[in-house]
Amino acid sequence: MAEIRAPLAHSRPALIATSGTAAAGSWRPTVRVGAPAVGGLSLPAAHPTAAHLYAPRGVWFDDDVLVVADSGNHRILIWHGLPSSDEAEADVILCQPAPTAEGPAAGGRGPSKGVHLPTGVLVHDGALFVADAWHHRILVWSTLPTAHDAPPDGVIGQTDLQSVQPNRGEDSCGPDSMYWPYGLGLVGGVFWVADTGNRRVLGWSGGPPEPGSTRGPDILLGQAAWTARDENRGGDPTADSFRWPHDIAGTDHLLLVADAGNHRVLGWAPVPDGDGPADLVLGQDAMTTATEWPYGPQRAIGHRFPYAISVDGDRLVVADTANNRLLVWDSVPRHTQQAPDHVLAQPDFAANGENRWDQVRDDTLCWPYGVHLRGDRLAVADSGNNRVMVWESLP
């Protein structure tokens, strides 16, 4: 299916607020994958189908494919191109034996063909990578599957496809083990994994290892040693610590990590080749603060559990998850106090209500957990509304 380049649903409203002076352009939702309810409560289907989602947490797309981590149904869905209409059925379903099947480890078939709460998804050089978070591993398909229930070709973080213990069953972590890996990224020629439960980020220089390879990571961020896993290195937040690193994005010259548990995004420029302090923090006033303001009004430069980030060209999007909004910078920030240019899904930067404390609409959000930006399109895993919404930037 060819990529849809024209607006898809002209009756859908745009919702955009700008900070400071008005910024050119606007965003609006164009197509929906998942829950059909608009104007009411978006509940998951009683039984899975090829069209509906349950608490999706990861999304990735390009001109040829849309990939969604249907986390609550413990499966991966693939569409050949962006759907041209709402509630389109997926073309390929992975990690379950049938479109109506659900449950961890493929409903009991076992972990070799099943997942347990998949989150981050990434396609690179034709290969599919899936963060199988509660199996503490990354699954790899050498080529993007075109058939239902195609088994993975390899695994990162475990010795084999049957093993699923956190940190390979050891009391401490090491360079070849993981604990709740949630996010994936390819930045600066490095394959990055947010090893969330170990409060660190792992990097493979030169890209991801091939299936069957024993090549481990050579870059460690957030901890002083491969065996360390304390939150914030056992103390208060610093420029080189994490609480819950959850997603990774950036450019050839900048690495960004969504440190959700500290309510911030950290940035390194240039892309680091080893442990060291970040150069940039977003969402906090300083590198040493982790303030959450759970009430209102909110601020443009404050975050609450930012679980996902995405960069394309000069544009940055942060899923400010607990504030039920997306923050958009038209140019990647260079300093802490640089406010976003747009807020999506809320009427202004002060508001933060789930679905704006109103009915579910195409331009509202409830706990957005995943986001992927490509050109003038933005896909959002709107987890609390059991759907993925594709937004479009219009000139």
Side-chain angles (χ1 to χ4, degrees):
M1 183 182 296
E3 182 186 16
I4 305 303
R5 296 208 175 267
L8 300 176
H10 299 280
S11 62
R12 289 193 170 120
L15 182 68
I16 182 73
T18 61
S19 62
T21 59
S26 61
W27 290 83
R28 69 173 177 179
T30 56
V31 70
R32 175 186 355 104
V33 172
V38 174
L41 181 63
S42 292
L43 296 174
H47 300 285
T49 72
H52 295 144
L53 307 172
Y54 179 20
R57 289 195 174 191
V59 61
W60 190 96
F61 74 96
D62 63 8
D63 292 344
D64 302 315
V65 67
L66 168 68
V67 182
V68 174
D70 187 12
S71 308
N73 286 321
H74 308 284
R75 64 184 186 173
I76 304 299
L77 303 184
I78 300 174
W79 286 259
H80 296 152
L82 285 179
S84 58
S85 60
D86 292 345
E87 299 175 61
E89 291 190 350
D91 297 295
V92 178
I93 299 174
L94 302 177
C95 304
Q96 293 291 353
T100 56
E102 61 178 324
R109 286 190 307 165
S112 63
K113 295 183 71 175
V115 291
H116 194 176
L117 198 78
T119 51
V121 288
L122 171 69
V123 177
H124 172 62
D125 284 348
L128 171 64
F129 300 84
V130 173
D132 185 9
W134 284 18
H135 281 159
H136 315 287
R137 64 186 184 177
I138 310 300
L139 294 179
V140 184
W141 284 260
S142 298
T143 58
L144 194 67
T146 57
H148 291 311
D149 203 27
D153 299 296
V155 61
I156 304 170
Q158 298 284 1
T159 55
D160 54 53
L161 288 168
Q162 292 291 340
S163 301
V164 295
Q165 292 300 309
N167 288 324
R168 300 193 178 195
E170 301 294 333
D171 292 334
S172 63
C173 57
D176 55 357
S177 68
M178 297 179 185
Y179 200 128
W180 294 337
Y182 279 108
L184 305 172
L186 192 76
V187 179
V190 179
F191 176 65
W192 301 96
V193 173
D195 188 12
T196 307
N198 286 324
R199 295 96 180 181
R200 64 185 187 177
V201 171
L202 307 175
W204 283 256
S205 298
E210 297 291 331
S213 169
T214 59
R215 180 169 66 94
D218 57 312
I219 302 175
L220 173 66
L221 301 180
Q223 299 288 356
W226 293 104
T227 55
R229 57 184 306 268
D230 289 335
E231 289 186 2
N232 291 316
R233 301 185 185 234
D236 295 327
T238 61
D240 58 359
S241 74
F242 301 118
R243 187 178 177 213
W244 300 337
H246 209 274
D247 200 12
I248 298 123
T251 69
D252 288 341
H253 309 290
L254 173 69
L255 176 72
L256 295 169
V257 176
D259 183 16
N262 284 324
H263 312 290
R264 65 184 186 178
V265 174
L266 293 180
W268 287 257
V271 174
D273 57 6
D275 188 37
D279 306 287
L280 172 72
V281 61
L282 303 175
Q284 296 291 332
D285 294 324
M287 293 283 189
T288 55
T289 61
T291 304
E292 179 194 7
W293 180 245
Y295 311 106
Q298 297 297 313
R299 302 184 304 160
I301 59 172
H303 299 338
R304 292 181 61 220
F305 297 103
Y307 279 109
I309 53 177
S310 188
V311 173
D312 190 41
D314 291 331
R315 185 178 281 158
L316 166 66
V317 176
V318 172
D320 191 12
T321 304
N323 280 328
N324 305 289
R325 65 184 185 177
L326 303 177
L327 302 176
V328 182
W329 286 259
D330 290 331
S331 60
V332 175
R334 301 300 179 190
H335 59 83
T336 298
Q337 298 300 320
Q338 185 172 336
D341 299 288
H342 314 283
V343 58
L344 278 61
Q346 298 291 354
D348 52 51
F349 287 112
N352 73 333
E354 296 177 1
N355 293 310
R356 299 199 293 274
W357 303 129
D358 202 346
Q359 296 178 328
V360 180
R361 304 185 188 280
D362 285 335
D363 61 356
T364 68
L365 293 171
C366 181
W367 286 73
Y369 264 99
V371 64
H372 186 72
L373 174 67
R374 181 177 173 86
D376 290 327
R377 284 188 174 81
L378 171 64
V380 184
D382 187 10
S383 185
N385 286 325
N386 302 299
R387 64 186 184 179
V388 166
M389 290 297 307
V390 177
W391 293 61
E392 185 177 37
S393 175
L394 301 177

